[in-house]
């Protein structure tokens, strides 16, 4: 399984970016997909996830500003980031879940890094204040 993330860059606070993650050899329609981020000196943290059934989950810090989506035909996952804040600056990683069509609806499962077994290389998001 391979994941290729792109779309990061430099943006002013209040601006928008859309991250993309192309997945190979595992269907995004059958596995959970997620975005995590890691700022310098901090642990990698959950940002957003989408289960195959369509439910979405967001960290409190981004809820209402970020939107996760997927294009099954392109096998690609997106993270639309609006109203960016300085504290959103980090390296963003996409990931795909380990379970085929998980029936679990508990958001804690999808926010746990251990629920994912393949990761993209990360894309840098820089927010200027």
């Amino acid at each position: 399984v391979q994941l290729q993330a792109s779309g990061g860059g430099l943006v002013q606070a209040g601006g928008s970016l859309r991250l993309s993650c192309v997945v190979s050899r595992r269907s995004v329609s059958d596995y959970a997909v997620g975005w995590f981020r890691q700022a310098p000196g901090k642990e990698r943290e959950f940002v957003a996830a989408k289960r195959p059934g369509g439910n979405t989950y967001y960290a409190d810090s981004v809820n209402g500003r970020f939107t996760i989506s997927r294009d099954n035909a392109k096998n690609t996952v997106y993270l639309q980031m609006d109203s960016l804040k300085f504290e959103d600056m980090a390296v963003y990683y996409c990931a795909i879940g380990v379970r085929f069509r998980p029936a679990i609806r508990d958001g804690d499962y999808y926010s746990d890094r251990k629920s994912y077994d393949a990761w993209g290389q990360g894309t840098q998001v820089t927010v200027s204040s």
Side-chain angles (χ1 to χ4, degrees), residues 69-88:
S69 62
R70 65 175 183 239
D71 184 328
N72 295 340
K74 295 181 179 180
N75 216 39
T76 299
V77 184
Y78 303 98
L79 184 68
Q80 177 67 40
M81 305 185 295
D82 298 319
S83 302
L84 280 161
K85 302 177 181 180
F86 182 76
E87 50 264 40
D88 294 320

Side-chain angles (χ1 to χ4, degrees), residues 16-89:
S16 298
L17 278 177
R18 189 177 81 154
L19 306 183
S20 300
C21 178
V22 180
V23 181
S24 302
R25 302 190 185 93
R26 191 178 292 174
S27 174
V28 301
S29 61
D30 292 325
Y31 292 83
V33 288
W35 287 94
F36 291 73
R37 67 187 181 187
Q38 188 167 18
K42 295 187 177 181
E43 291 194 357
R44 192 171 300 188
E45 65 175 6
F46 169 73
V47 175
K50 189 175 184 69
R51 60 185 293 265
N55 302 73
T56 54
Y57 307 87
Y58 296 95
D60 290 343
S61 58
V62 308
N63 196 21
R65 300 187 296 120
F66 290 11
T67 303
I68 186 171
S69 62
R70 65 175 183 239
D71 184 328
N72 295 340
K74 295 181 179 180
N75 216 39
T76 299
V77 184
Y78 303 98
L79 184 68
Q80 177 67 40
M81 305 185 295
D82 298 319
S83 302
L84 280 161
K85 302 177 181 180
F86 182 76
E87 50 264 40
D88 294 320
M89 185 162 58

